[in-house]
Amino acid sequence: MDLSLETRHEDGHTIIEVGGEIDVYTAPRLRDKITELVSDGNYNLVIDMEKVDFLDSTGLGVLVGGLKKVRAHDGSMRLICNQERLLKIFRITGLAKVFAIHSSQADALADL
């Protein structure tokens, strides 16, 4: 399976809608997109993972790296994820305490 990345701007945040699998083969594309956005001055990112089918440790590493990049500019990264199998990965790794994880885009943008 491939990875789809759609980017849009809303309420001062840049939303990246991710679909498909985030794995060792596709994660570099997400990393490059995050790097490009931060380089262009977009420091408040929302990663919409509602259409993600699979996430491995490489994908987690890309998300952690992205979080470090935006925080270096006093920015933020919020995740939208409502799939239990993915949420379980964040809980097991302890990353559920690191990332602001929301169940919908409305929730992610509501507490700004």
Side-chain angles (χ1 to χ4, degrees):
M1 170 150 291
D2 203 11
L3 181 72
S4 65
L5 299 171
E6 299 289 331
T7 306
R8 69 177 191 284
H9 301 278
E10 190 170 322
D11 296 331
H13 279 67
T14 302
I15 300 169
I16 306 171
E17 290 185 6
V18 185
E21 298 181 357
I22 307 174
D23 60 20
V24 67
Y25 302 106
T26 61
R29 287 186 50 215
L30 178 59
R31 181 192 62 229
D32 293 347
K33 176 56 76 177
I34 292 170
T35 300
E36 172 191 323
L37 289 168
V38 172
S39 294
D40 290 344
N42 300 287
Y43 306 132
N44 294 301
L45 304 180
V46 176
I47 311 295
D48 185 343
M49 301 176 61
E50 288 184 285
K51 297 178 183 171
V52 170
D53 300 318
F54 179 80
L55 176 68
D56 72 2
S57 60
T58 308
L60 288 174
V62 166
L63 293 173
V64 170
L67 181 62
K68 288 180 180 179
K69 284 180 177 133
V70 297
R71 283 188 175 168
H73 298 279
D74 294 323
S76 66
M77 179 185 285
R78 298 160 189 257
L79 306 181
I80 300 170
C81 182
N82 55 17
Q83 299 178 53
E84 185 55 37
R85 68 182 183 282
L86 297 181
L87 292 169
K88 185 176 181 181
I89 294 169
F90 286 103
R91 284 194 300 270
I92 289 171
T93 58
L95 292 174
K97 296 176 183 172
V98 174
F99 287 102
I101 302 176
H102 302 272
S103 60
S104 70
Q105 182 178 315
D107 288 345
L109 297 176
D111 62 348
L112 300 177

